[in-house]
Amino acid sequence: MTTIQHGRAGRRQAMRRIRPRRSPAAPLLVLAWTGAAGVLWLWWLNTPAVAATDADRLVNAGRITGLLAGYAIALVIVQMARIPALERRVGSDRVVRWHARTGRYALTLTLAHVALILYGYALQADTGIVAQTVSVVTDYPRMVEAAVGTLLLLLVGLVSAGAVRRRMRYELWYYLHLLTYAAVYLTFWHQFATGSEFVGDATARSAWYALYLTVGALLLWYRVITPVRLNLRHRMRVESVVQESPGVVSVLIRGRRLHRMGAEAGQFFRWRFLAKGLRWSANPYSLSAPPRPDLLRITVKAVGGHSAALAGLRPGTRVWAEGPYGAMTAARRSRGKVLLLAGGAGITPLRALFETLPGASGDLTLLYRARTVEELALRDELEAIADARGAQLLYAVNSPDGRRPSITAKMLRRILPDIARHDVYLCGPPGLAEESYGALREAGVPHRRIHHESFEF
């Protein structure tokens, strides 16, 4: 009886340690929509009467869409700033999705603003749309810059479209995407020069300046100053490169006081290796072992030019890192029992969690999906951790004739009859993630307890 009581007390104590933090997603969304409502109120405040003519209605609609476009662009920049509160608590992949969606809204509103304003002005002046466009760009203050900025926004939107993006090298897309900053700067000033909401309203101008200055400060701090401070402080270099399995290497990175970076198992950094062919791109790779005060480790599968080149890194190569990022940590856990479901290179963050997740013996299971036994990276380490922790380690590997074991609800219930009472950490290729998510939901695991981050940035 005493042993049972002690076991229950230990589990309650462990659950207190791992109780998840509340996600700030809902409050942030409410805040964003409140800001949009404030923008509409600003338009209403400066519109004494809704005009009756078609031309005036078009111009008023152009003013609304212009204000909302300016606000949406500010949100786009915030979502590019890599603010830790968003990256770690909401999740980097979710912030990326927000960024893409908000970018589409901003571009659509910008195009609507341009079309409605020009058409409305053309009706008012009783002239053609082309002549009116030339007049607005050449005669109105700060409109040449605004026109160039709008064209840059269109370019960024074009290269970010899925069909175009998939055909471009990541590095080219990344540097073209940075043109967003130039576009924002160029389009910003015409709002004060021609916008009726700002020309005669000092309070509105101050609020708009405050919005953009805050956004700019966040961007400068987290995209420039923070990474510079981090890398000057920790001075990271490649210690060694270890072959783990065919096409998979571990890169050991040594530095000073690395424990002060605040990294947790399950998180990732964006890594830039200052070697030939690698210094101009920064790619996200997860920590594959718990961080140590003097050593970090990433394990990478060669799936592209950048990841394949890491096998040739030499000891002493300088490393530039940004992070840590990611929300797939122990803080997401809400139940005593956990299933870690990995596929391919997705084993890397889950290997670190497999070693460090708190909990009682027997409450932890790792299911590792791979095509062949040879592709089971870090297998010896996983088996040693399972033995030390009394955890369950299972493999799902293709049969010798190539038959692929499917991850189904029936299979999950067979290995874990109480699967519905588990938290699940899921990491792997998109196909595996989609298949596994459907099986987990069918097996009764609630959506809120399936923790997944995608690195398809």
Side-chain angles (χ1 to χ4, degrees), residues 24-98:
L28 288 171
L29 291 172
V30 169
L31 181 62
W33 283 110
T34 301
V39 169
L40 291 176
W41 176 81
L42 177 63
W43 170 83
W44 182 259
L45 191 66
N46 287 275
T47 307
V50 178
T53 67
D54 289 341
D56 290 343
R57 280 195 290 268
L58 286 170
V59 171
N60 280 331
R63 289 170 51 212
I64 294 174
T65 52
L67 285 169
L68 289 174
Y71 176 70
I73 287 172
L75 294 183
V76 167
I77 300 301
V78 166
Q79 293 155 4
M80 292 174 72
R82 297 178 187 167
I83 301 170
L86 293 177
E87 297 276 341
R88 300 185 189 184
R89 302 280 301 277
V90 175
S92 296
D93 59 339
R94 193 173 185 184
V95 174
V96 167
R97 289 196 295 272
W98 286 0

Side-chain angles (χ1 to χ4, degrees), residues 2-159:
T2 304
T3 303
I4 293 174
Q5 289 175 339
H6 282 198
R8 288 175 179 171
R11 179 167 294 185
R12 285 196 299 270
Q13 185 176 1
M15 288 303 299
R16 281 195 293 271
R17 290 198 304 270
I18 63 179
R19 186 174 292 119
R21 298 185 291 264
R22 242 179 233 178
S23 169
L28 288 171
L29 291 172
V30 169
L31 181 62
W33 283 110
T34 301
V39 169
L40 291 176
W41 176 81
L42 177 63
W43 170 83
W44 182 259
L45 191 66
N46 287 275
T47 307
V50 178
T53 67
D54 289 341
D56 290 343
R57 280 195 290 268
L58 286 170
V59 171
N60 280 331
R63 289 170 51 212
I64 294 174
T65 52
L67 285 169
L68 289 174
Y71 176 70
I73 287 172
L75 294 183
V76 167
I77 300 301
V78 166
Q79 293 155 4
M80 292 174 72
R82 297 178 187 167
I83 301 170
L86 293 177
E87 297 276 341
R88 300 185 189 184
R89 302 280 301 277
V90 175
S92 296
D93 59 339
R94 193 173 185 184
V95 174
V96 167
R97 289 196 295 272
W98 286 0
H99 170 69
R101 187 178 299 117
T102 309
R104 288 192 291 270
Y105 291 156
L107 186 58
T108 301
L109 288 165
T110 299
L111 293 174
H113 165 67
V114 172
L116 290 166
I117 284 288
L118 291 177
Y119 189 35
Y121 283 177
L123 289 179
Q124 287 178 340
D126 193 22
T127 187
I129 189 70
V130 175
Q132 186 61 46
T133 300
V134 173
S135 174
V136 167
V137 172
T138 57
D139 297 338
Y140 284 53
R142 310 305 294 258
M143 283 306 302
V144 173
E145 299 99 311
V148 174
T150 301
L151 291 175
L152 289 178
L153 283 176
L154 287 173
L155 174 62
V156 172
L158 176 64
V159 301

Side-chain angles (χ1 to χ4, degrees), residues 18-352:
I18 63 179
R19 186 174 292 119
R21 298 185 291 264
R22 242 179 233 178
S23 169
L28 288 171
L29 291 172
V30 169
L31 181 62
W33 283 110
T34 301
V39 169
L40 291 176
W41 176 81
L42 177 63
W43 170 83
W44 182 259
L45 191 66
N46 287 275
T47 307
V50 178
T53 67
D54 289 341
D56 290 343
R57 280 195 290 268
L58 286 170
V59 171
N60 280 331
R63 289 170 51 212
I64 294 174
T65 52
L67 285 169
L68 289 174
Y71 176 70
I73 287 172
L75 294 183
V76 167
I77 300 301
V78 166
Q79 293 155 4
M80 292 174 72
R82 297 178 187 167
I83 301 170
L86 293 177
E87 297 276 341
R88 300 185 189 184
R89 302 280 301 277
V90 175
S92 296
D93 59 339
R94 193 173 185 184
V95 174
V96 167
R97 289 196 295 272
W98 286 0
H99 170 69
R101 187 178 299 117
T102 309
R104 288 192 291 270
Y105 291 156
L107 186 58
T108 301
L109 288 165
T110 299
L111 293 174
H113 165 67
V114 172
L116 290 166
I117 284 288
L118 291 177
Y119 189 35
Y121 283 177
L123 289 179
Q124 287 178 340
D126 193 22
T127 187
I129 189 70
V130 175
Q132 186 61 46
T133 300
V134 173
S135 174
V136 167
V137 172
T138 57
D139 297 338
Y140 284 53
R142 310 305 294 258
M143 283 306 302
V144 173
E145 299 99 311
V148 174
T150 301
L151 291 175
L152 289 178
L153 283 176
L154 287 173
L155 174 62
V156 172
L158 176 64
V159 301
S160 298
V164 179
R165 167 70 185 93
R166 286 189 291 271
R167 288 170 171 78
M168 296 181 66
R169 290 183 60 196
Y170 171 78
E171 292 80 9
L172 176 59
W173 171 85
Y174 175 81
Y175 286 109
L176 286 174
H177 208 67
L178 294 181
L179 291 173
T180 303
Y181 302 132
V184 172
Y185 178 80
L186 290 170
T187 56
F188 177 78
W189 303 104
H190 88 285
Q191 300 173 77
F192 296 108
T194 61
S196 58
E197 287 75 20
F198 303 112
V199 170
D201 191 335
T203 301
R205 287 198 304 274
S206 298
W208 211 248
Y209 270 122
L211 171 65
Y212 272 83
L213 285 173
T214 300
V215 167
L218 289 171
L219 186 73
L220 178 64
W221 182 260
Y222 289 114
R223 291 297 297 269
V224 180
I225 296 175
T226 296
V228 169
R229 290 176 62 213
L230 180 146
N231 287 279
L232 289 177
R233 177 182 299 169
H234 300 292
R235 299 186 180 278
M236 289 174 282
R237 292 182 180 271
V238 172
E239 172 78 6
S240 62
V241 177
V242 179
Q243 186 82 27
E244 301 287 1
S245 65
V248 178
V249 298
S250 286
V251 181
L252 280 71
I253 298 162
R254 190 167 294 279
R256 302 186 303 182
R257 301 186 295 276
L258 299 180
H259 58 291
R260 295 188 180 179
M261 298 171 79
E264 301 177 51
Q267 291 190 307
F268 69 95
F269 288 78
R270 287 179 171 87
W271 302 95
R272 188 186 304 271
F273 297 93
L274 304 187
K276 185 179 179 180
L278 295 173
R279 66 178 66 248
W280 296 111
S281 59
N283 286 29
Y285 299 120
S286 297
L287 298 176
S288 63
R292 287 172 31 183
D294 63 339
L295 196 68
L296 300 176
R297 188 184 75 175
I298 59 174
T299 301
V300 181
K301 183 176 181 179
V303 294
H306 188 279
S307 54
L310 299 189
L313 285 173
R314 295 183 177 182
T317 300
R318 291 288 303 272
V319 180
W320 184 275
E322 296 179 41
Y325 302 123
M328 201 167 65
T329 66
R332 289 288 176 184
R333 183 178 176 185
S334 61
R335 291 292 186 272
K337 296 186 177 183
V338 174
L339 168 65
L340 305 173
L341 205 165
I347 189 61
T348 53
L350 299 192
R351 182 262 177 242

